[in-house]
Amino acid sequence: MASRSSLVTTTTAVFSFLILYLANITAKHRHSTTNDHHHHQHDSSASNPRLQQAYLALQAWKLVIYSDPFNTTSDWIGPSVCSYTGIYCAPYPNDTNIQTVAGIDLNHADIAGFLPNELGLLSDLALLHLNSNRFCGILPLTLSNLTLLFELDLSNNRFVGPFPSVVMSLPSLKFLDLRFNEFEGPLPPELFNKNLDAIFINSNRLTSVIPSNLGSSTASVVVFANNNLGGCLPPSIANFANTMEELLLINTNISGCLPQEVGFLYKLRVLDVSSNKLVGEIPYSIAGLAHLEQLNLGHNMMSGVVPLGVCELPNLVNFTFSYNYFFEEEGVCGNLTSVGIVADDRRNCLPERPLQRSKKECDAVLEHPVDCFELPCGHTHIHDAGNRH
């Protein structure tokens, strides 16, 4: 998973944007407020068609909420929608004398229900946070009406169906979080043509392969972990060079070699490709990632030498390469704790090191080295995957 600090940083940036863009929307969770919503002189839906639309949408939503254990929506009564818990109003961008619903934050409310088509009436919404609830079903296509939506967080719910194509129709979207749902099927290449800053799609049921246009996005954080994507990490990853700070591909069934282009991501701070089927050597280009703090290559089928240049990265604090077939550690790589780096080199083929693989295991791999220049996206003939973990 992405680091907590990264999520906090990204969310802070988003809320700063909303404050500037919508004048007075603020980021608050349900637990931090009860009846302290501000009432505005233009809140009355009788004189404000935008709030009338919001009232219709929210009442339709309340009708399809089947469980609300914290009574979060118990005050969703009457036309004063700006006083509803979790609903945040701000001046309409084109006319600041008019109030409109600009944000919804129902994080951690444990609400069960689904999203009705009427949510498309909330056309001025810039932020929709539904993290950690029990919403289910598919996303309504009417969400395409939310042309100002900047941040969409639907993580940790029970949404199903193919990857929601409606996401691709949101022109203002910058932050997308669909983690921990039941979305399935292929990952659409169009996702990476969008100008997104953060993409969290881990822990779903997505299959197929990582699209070859992966680097077309401008994201700083990409998390694919715990899906069955397969294929190789495409060389187009190099196109993320000016933005990418965190890349997590844990347990995504990717294979082949790590491309040298990973070393082009000069802003990268976190790289985690553990629990996959990667083969070949560590690209020496990684030695150029001066900002890299966390590097996890564990539980793969990589082999060769652990290069000194990687171990001497100036900001490296954690380097895991356990459960592979590395047979040599250059220089300080064999004693990273001496330079303050937390390291794990277990279950490799390193002579003189404790907790290594058997000679039989190692010989089966080392006798058939993988040449990543000849086979950058090839398949391995190793059949002992069961011994890797």
Side-chain angles (χ1 to χ4, degrees):
M1 293 180 65
S3 65
R4 179 182 177 87
S5 61
S6 300
L7 295 180
V8 171
T9 300
T10 306
T11 304
T12 300
V14 168
F15 285 142
S16 298
F17 168 85
L18 292 176
I19 289 170
L20 292 173
Y21 186 64
L22 297 171
N24 73 342
I25 187 171
T26 56
K28 294 180 289 185
H29 292 294
R30 181 185 59 80
H31 299 294
S32 64
T33 180
T34 52
N35 296 316
D36 61 345
H37 292 272
H38 295 290
H39 296 264
H40 302 277
Q41 61 181 1
H42 297 282
D43 279 358
S44 173
S45 63
S47 60
N48 184 338
R50 312 196 86 79
L51 293 184
Q52 287 181 20
Q53 294 282 82
Y55 172 74
L56 294 175
L58 295 172
Q59 291 303 308
W61 196 3
K62 187 175 182 179
L63 287 175
V64 292
I65 288 176
Y66 309 128
S67 174
D68 184 1
F70 301 132
N71 295 316
T72 304
T73 62
S74 61
D75 63 357
W76 286 20
I77 299 171
S80 298
V81 295
C82 295
S83 66
Y84 289 7
T85 295
I87 307 301
Y88 298 91
C89 291
Y92 178 55
N94 292 341
D95 186 347
T96 56
N97 291 318
I98 298 175
Q99 290 292 308
T100 190
V101 172
I104 296 177
D105 188 346
L106 298 177
N107 281 355
H108 304 284
D110 198 27
I111 294 171
F114 64 90
L115 306 187
N117 289 327
E118 286 83 355
L119 288 187
L121 297 173
L122 299 170
S123 57
D124 302 325
L125 205 61
L127 180 150
L128 179 58
H129 273 184
L130 302 180
N131 173 286
S132 299
N133 285 284
R134 290 174 288 147
F135 289 112
C136 62
I138 61 175
L139 304 189
L141 294 178
T142 54
L143 292 182
S144 62
N145 295 333
L146 310 185
T147 56
L148 299 180
L149 194 65
F150 184 85
E151 178 167 331
L152 178 62
D153 183 354
L154 304 178
S155 59
N156 198 21
N157 279 283
R158 299 173 182 175
F159 293 112
V160 298
F163 188 93
S165 60
V166 67
V167 166
M168 262 69 78
S169 65
L170 301 174
S172 302
L173 194 66
K174 294 291 184 182
F175 183 98
L176 175 65
D177 193 343
L178 302 178
R179 294 174 294 166
F180 296 99
N181 279 287
E182 299 290 330
F183 295 116
E184 58 190 88
L187 195 59
E190 295 81 6
L191 177 66
F192 301 103
N193 294 330
K194 292 189 64 62
N195 189 23
L196 294 167
D197 179 60
I199 304 171
F200 297 93
I201 56 175
N202 48 300
S203 301
N204 278 282
R205 297 174 177 265
L206 299 170
T207 55
S208 167
V209 298
I210 296 176
S212 60
N213 68 327
L214 173 64
S216 300
S217 174
T218 56
S220 61
V221 179
V222 173
V223 184
F224 288 165
N226 301 315
N227 285 288
N228 189 25
L229 297 178
C232 299
L233 188 60
S236 63
I237 191 72
N239 296 331
F240 273 121
N242 293 324
T243 59
M244 178 67 70
E245 296 181 13
E246 298 190 22
L247 177 62
L248 291 92
L249 300 170
I250 309 158
N251 189 33
T252 51
N253 199 32
I254 57 173
S255 58
C257 297
L258 266 185
Q260 290 287 339
E261 287 80 3
V262 169
F264 297 177
L265 306 177
Y266 68 94
K267 292 186 176 182
L268 204 62
R269 294 185 296 106
V270 178
L271 175 62
D272 193 331
V273 292
S274 59
S275 299
N276 284 294
K277 298 177 181 177
L278 295 171
V279 297
E281 298 186 348
I282 299 174
Y284 195 80
S285 59
I286 290 179
L289 300 179
H291 298 287
L292 196 64
E293 301 170 7
Q294 310 281 339
L295 176 59
N296 193 339
L297 308 175
H299 290 270
N300 280 287
M301 292 178 278
M302 300 180 73
S303 58
V305 177
V306 181
L308 178 61
V310 174
C311 299
E312 291 183 333
L313 286 169
N315 289 293
L316 193 64
V317 295
N318 194 312
F319 183 15
T320 297
F321 51 97
S322 54
Y323 290 85
N324 280 285
Y325 296 88
F326 295 112
F327 58 79
E328 182 182 346
E329 296 168 303
E330 289 186 342
V332 74
C333 297
N335 190 16
L336 287 170
T337 55
S338 67
V339 291
I341 296 175
V342 177
D344 187 352
D345 65 2
R346 293 172 299 157
R347 298 286 289 161
N348 278 287
C349 302
L350 300 166
E352 310 286 321
R353 297 293 293 166
L355 303 175
Q356 297 299 299
R357 294 183 182 275
S358 69
K359 184 178 185 300
K360 181 180 179 181
E361 285 181 276
C362 293
D363 288 348
V365 175
L366 301 183
E367 289 172 3
H368 303 281
V370 175
D371 187 336
C372 289
F373 291 101
E374 292 185 0
L375 199 67
C377 198
H379 300 285
T380 177
H381 296 290
I382 299 172
H383 297 291
D384 63 340
N387 294 325
R388 295 187 294 118
H389 301 282

